[in-house]
Amino acid sequence: MDGQVEVTNKQFQRHKLFTRELSMMMYGFGDSMSPLPESIDILEDILVDYINNMCVQAAKVSGRRGKVVVEDFKFVLRKDPKKLARVEELLAMNKEIEVARAMI
């Protein structure tokens, strides 16, 4: 394949992975306590598509390495400073948690 990695974009079956969280987020942002299931389904479709696309882009960036690392996701998000800053903040918090657990 002359040094290129082939990434296939598979269609995933929905398993309602984020229904509870999306419902709570929608309520937190001003929706009713029990949003319509159709609204949650649409948001979940958008979310799953976004996550899938990010993973595919990161896999393309990883190239011949065959392994996706955090830096690949950071590279994909380089043009969106807010999301990149949030990723770096979460990574720093994760490191702090690991250090705290090691002390216990």
Side-chain angles (χ1 to χ4, degrees), residues 2-17:
D2 62 16
Q4 298 229 344
V5 175
E6 184 177 331
V7 179
T8 57
N9 196 354
K10 297 179 182 178
Q11 288 293 327
F12 293 98
Q13 289 182 335
R14 287 189 354 166
H15 295 287
K16 297 195 179 252
L17 296 172

Side-chain angles (χ1 to χ4, degrees), residues 57-104:
Q57 289 177 18
K60 287 179 181 177
V61 168
S62 71
R64 282 193 258 169
R65 232 181 312 129
K67 181 179 179 182
V68 178
V69 293
V70 173
E71 282 71 28
D72 297 330
F73 286 100
K74 289 167 102 175
F75 182 80
V76 170
L77 290 172
R78 73 191 182 282
K79 294 182 180 176
D80 191 338
K82 286 184 179 181
K83 289 178 187 163
L84 182 58
R86 181 65 175 153
V87 166
E88 290 173 348
E89 178 185 354
L90 290 172
L91 290 170
M93 283 195 294
N94 189 41
K95 191 158 194 127
E96 287 179 28
I97 291 170
E98 287 177 5
V99 168
R101 283 186 182 153
M103 296 173 89
I104 295 177

